Amino acid sequence: MKNFIKTLLISAISISAFSQTINIKILQQPVEVYKDKWGVSHIYAQNEHDLFVTQGYVAASDRLFQLEMWRRQATGTVAELLGERELKRDIGTRLFKFRGNLTAELQHYHPRSKQIIEAFVAGINTYIAEARQKPEDLPFEFKLLNTLPDFWTPEVVISRHQGLLSNIEDEINNARLVKILGADKMRELSWFHPKNSDNEPNLELDKMLDNDVLFEHILEYYEAFRAPLKFPKPDNKVGLLDDFQDWYKDEKDNVGSNNWIVSGKLTESGYPMLANDPHRAQSTPSLRYWVHLHAPNWNVIGGGEPTLPGVSIGHNEYGAWGLTIFETDNEDLYVYETNPKNPNQYKYKGVWETIKAISDTIKIKGQAPKIVQLKYTRHGPVVFEDAKNNHLYAVRAGWQEVGCAPYLASLRMNQAKSWEEFRKACTFSRIPGENMIWADKKGHIGWQAVGISPIRKNWSGLVPVPGDGRYEWGGYLPIELLPNKFDPVEGFVVTANNNLTPANFPNRNAIGWRWAHPVRANRIEEVLSSGKKHTLEEFALLQSDYVSLTARVLVPMLKRLPIDEKYRSHKSKLENWDTFELSPESTNATVYVEWESLLQKAVHKLAVPEKAQKYMKTIPTKRLTDWLVTPPPFLGANPLLSRDSILIACFKQAVDNITVRLGKDENQWQYGQANNKHIKLTHALSDWVTDPALKAKINLGPIPRGGYGETVNNSSNNLNQTHGASFKIIVDTENWDRTLGINNPGQSGDPRSEHYGDLFNLWGTGGYFPVYFTKSKIVAVSEKVLILKP
């Protein structure tokens, strides 16, 4: 961050902008689009229809291949492009397709959301129609896959396929662990909270589930629907779901976010400030996309997903908002008794009900189309049939209700003029569960948790239950009753996926039981409580903070322990390390992170019986630190001695591992480097590219990184950073033109564009670009002007 001021003040000298006129028949009036030097489109329309037509059009121009892959995943047409290995994905997608009232769905998100979504889709399709006229000019991915982009419908926009959903995967693993370990041991190894007693949460398994079928691939089609889309070489026959569990663990460990708000009494400007940095998978192109929308009754700037209209994180003329994950539980796995004489009937409240079946046809590249039967109970899609025991399994998902398309409720937030209006808009936000924060020019700050939260009166939602009518949802908890604050006396709110819910929260089983380790939140609170008056620069430093609070706990444990002479200098250096900062330049960070990783593995191996380790791949950091501070009986007859032996053995192994990886010269042990902590972005189709020049252009990095998965600057727990804050925003409500932002690696998904990777190095060094809001400032930094005419 030494170059913060330099990166902040990237030349704002006006570049000679050139103008391009494009005719778009569906527009009602002319539209201006100013493309600034960081690739952000500032759209000035004269009416709402044209505003969202243009948003769709410019998003397609920047992210055409990304949009096409979204469309195929949303419609279950991936096998048509990639062949049989994607058949299960397409079946899963169609099985979990939204099948409710489409008109009600499209009208939920905003008083005019149906018209907005239709205009957005029309804008995307206008660009696609143009692109299909000149296939030779399409981005390289289309040529490699020998395909053309196809047209969108509103159903594509409201797809849930990439939503951050809930805990059905955990449910089945919890059931397996309870069967292997028992409920008490399961609670001991996990960190369920908040709770009022040691017997919470209830993990009792019904006798219907007390069999080995639990260990079958019950969620195969759900997993196929949720799995990330990958592109192995055409001759690679390995199934794309083979590594689903590893992917899911990575997502659970690393997907999250930070956000915070502070009142004007704690800022140098005297106005509220806001910061947000969502942690998602790092990729090229980025998940998110900056845009500025300006029309009568609209003036909003920020980031969303290029596949959605509106802005999910940003500010308008009145206030700013951001989000992080809040743990709701909106999925349950039901098991039913089936009729031995008719497997298409299941028992509900003592009566046989008939499964609803839908026939569908899936096109498969290189093969004849396949006709599939999609089956449904009254609760939801059937994912597994156990003919031997006359059972079947179905998923009940709250997100299949009307109004659960991720982030679309942001459309109402985009026009909020006050905390009251923003909070009202939050009540339409059902997926994903989020901590929504607000800061406005009038001096107010607020926090409202959102999400669709089923009320469970007689079970925890953490293990599967019979679908015979004994375990029914009692409706959904009104979003207004989820946790919230307005102008808190402490002057700030911090959320980092940690628990902020009291143990006595009513309808406890409507929200999650597992939360992120609070170290990120605690570090942010530590800085905000320092007594300083906060500035944009200090917020930027905090978003890039690499201090490990876990290191503060673990490193002092080494001080009194003897060690072989070979390792004494390494141990001494770590003992004298008082910053606990995992900076790229630090050699202590290299040793510490390797040591902590080995401690996690060693304690996990001792704590979790071998037969359960497949389903509990790690232990929570909270358990690790608690057990090392106060050694538990499972460490042996002398737990303290065993603990000390583990600390030393892992430390020695850490030094040995680093010596092998980085060499004997300790001057080369810097934490951030290509052989240690770094980021390298590899394009999804990199393996398909044979041209060395193109390959060099589409893949970015490596560049050194610091931190890990539990620093404020979350850089994931892998040596090559897989997750983290690709998008960041910092706002001082005093002056919207002082807003700072970043988007890794750039705004465009087309490597022919100068904005494909132009922000990569700036992001990697903790830099930002100025996010201008005033038209005169925008014009001054624009490099291109599009005039769109009817």
Side-chain angles (χ1 to χ4, degrees), residues 456-530:
R456 300 175 182 85
K457 294 185 184 271
N458 60 327
W459 85 106
S460 66
L462 290 175
V463 293
V465 290
D468 57 12
R470 290 180 289 149
Y471 298 91
E472 291 295 328
W473 293 353
Y476 298 105
L477 193 64
I479 286 175
E480 299 97 319
L481 298 183
L482 288 171
N484 58 85
K485 289 182 180 180
F486 177 60
D487 286 343
V489 294
E490 58 270 27
F492 63 83
V493 177
V494 174
T495 83
N497 318 119
N498 56 306
N499 172 54
L500 295 172
T501 308
N504 61 353
F505 181 74
N507 296 301
R508 177 65 188 84
N509 290 326
I511 63 172
W513 287 89
R514 284 187 172 107
W515 308 82
H517 191 34
V519 285
R520 282 185 286 121
N522 292 347
R523 173 59 180 163
I524 297 166
E525 290 172 352
E526 178 179 83
V527 173
L528 296 184
S529 303
S530 64

Side-chain angles (χ1 to χ4, degrees), residues 250 253-256 258 277 279 282 517-520 523 543-555 577 580-584 588-600 620-622 624-625 671-672 676-678 704-725:
D250 253 7
D253 287 350
N254 295 308
V255 167
N258 304 313
D277 55 299
H279 306 159
Q282 297 282 355
H517 191 34
V519 285
R520 282 185 286 121
R523 173 59 180 163
Q543 282 189 332
S544 294
D545 188 87
Y546 285 139
V547 172
S548 168
L549 297 194
T550 304
R552 281 189 191 169
V553 175
L554 297 182
V555 170
W577 181 44
F580 306 107
E581 186 176 359
L582 309 182
S583 63
N588 283 322
T590 307
V591 176
Y592 171 76
V593 171
E594 185 72 14
W595 180 53
E596 185 189 314
S597 175
L598 291 171
L599 286 172
Q600 163 72 238
T621 305
K622 176 70 162 56
L624 173 69
T625 53
Y671 185 60
N676 204 64
K677 191 68 175 184
H678 66 282
R705 296 295 286 151
Y708 65 165
E710 292 189 345
T711 47
V712 175
N713 190 345
N714 178 353
S715 57
S716 83
N717 290 315
N718 305 295
L719 288 181
N720 182 17
Q721 179 179 348
T722 57
H723 293 73

Side-chain angles (χ1 to χ4, degrees), residues 773-786:
F773 195 56
T774 303
K775 189 170 184 180
S776 60
K777 290 184 176 292
I778 292 163
V779 171
V781 294
S782 291
E783 60 183 17
K784 186 175 185 179
V785 182
L786 302 179

Side-chain angles (χ1 to χ4, degrees), residues 587 589-595 597-598 601 653-665 668-678 717-720:
T587 57
T590 307
V591 176
Y592 171 76
V593 171
E594 185 72 14
W595 180 53
S597 175
L598 291 171
K601 292 173 184 175
Q653 186 63 54
V655 173
D656 291 344
N657 289 355
I658 294 162
T659 302
V660 170
R661 187 162 71 243
L662 302 181
K664 294 182 179 180
D665 183 357
Q668 303 303 314
W669 284 16
Q670 289 83 7
Y671 185 60
Q673 57 169 295
N675 294 319
N676 204 64
K677 191 68 175 184
H678 66 282
N717 290 315
N718 305 295
L719 288 181
N720 182 17

Side-chain angles (χ1 to χ4, degrees), residues 299-321:
N299 193 8
V300 56
I301 192 168
E305 297 185 18
T307 51
L308 304 174
V311 166
S312 58
I313 302 166
H315 72 79
N316 57 25
E317 296 165 293
Y318 305 95
W321 58 90

Side-chain angles (χ1 to χ4, degrees), residues 696-707:
K697 196 165 189 177
I698 63 175
N699 298 329
L700 301 172
I703 56 175
R705 296 295 286 151

